Amino acid sequence: MSKPDISNAEFDVLDVLWERNPASASDVVQTLSSHKEWHEKTIKTLLGRLVKKGVIGFEKQQRQYLYYPLIAREDYTAQETESFVGKLFKGKITPLVAGFATQKTLSKDDVNELKALIAQWEEDND
């Protein structure tokens, strides 16, 4: 599946559905309205766009539609990361990590996790 073109607002709606699904439009509206000042109609429009893009599906249950994601968070994250690194860093991870390191935004835990990932990669690829 190619990476769907999802706006930031659509991503916020999708994020709600990754957290809990299936969910009605009212559930999504209630969840998002706690930290966004979006009108109910806006959220329903975003749900419709995501359905049209094939990112979420729905089923009608009595008088409401229940929405659910058609793409896993992990799959979308992997595709988005690959696209980001490809576009900004010509596919190379080192400049990305170096940027975080030189700006001192890497924590000790981040460094330890990176070391563990590298060790695992070396073990798997020897």
Side-chain angles (χ1 to χ4, degrees):
M1 176 179 185
S2 64
K3 184 177 85 65
D5 185 22
I6 297 175
S7 71
N8 290 340
E10 291 166 343
F11 181 84
D12 288 341
V13 171
L14 183 56
D15 196 38
V16 170
L17 294 174
W18 278 326
E19 290 300 317
R20 60 185 258 208
N21 67 81
S24 68
S26 299
D27 294 335
V28 176
V29 168
Q30 184 176 9
T31 301
L32 286 173
S33 64
S34 68
H35 60 279
K36 299 277 185 190
E37 292 186 19
W38 290 347
H39 192 275
E40 179 178 347
K41 187 175 179 180
T42 301
I43 295 170
K44 288 181 177 180
T45 297
L46 293 169
L47 284 166
R49 286 185 193 164
L50 289 168
V51 167
K52 217 180 259 189
K53 291 179 180 185
V55 176
I56 65 173
F58 66 90
E59 59 184 50
K60 189 169 184 175
Q61 194 173 78
Q62 295 160 357
R63 300 183 71 179
Q64 66 180 351
Y65 291 97
L66 296 179
Y67 296 91
Y68 52 89
L70 295 174
I71 182 172
R73 181 191 303 265
E74 296 77 20
D75 293 340
Y76 180 77
T77 302
Q79 292 173 2
E80 191 69 17
T81 299
E82 187 176 321
S83 173
F84 174 77
V85 170
K87 187 177 356 177
L88 294 180
F89 300 100
K90 297 184 179 164
K92 300 204 179 279
I93 286 285
T94 306
L96 173 67
V97 176
F100 284 108
T102 58
Q103 294 181 13
K104 298 182 182 16
T105 54
L106 285 178
S107 70
K108 186 77 170 158
D109 287 341
D110 291 332
V111 172
N112 288 335
E113 286 181 41
L114 286 168
K115 285 179 181 178
L117 285 170
I118 291 168
Q120 185 63 52
W121 183 90
E122 288 175 335
E123 188 177 304
D124 293 345
N125 292 286
D126 275 344

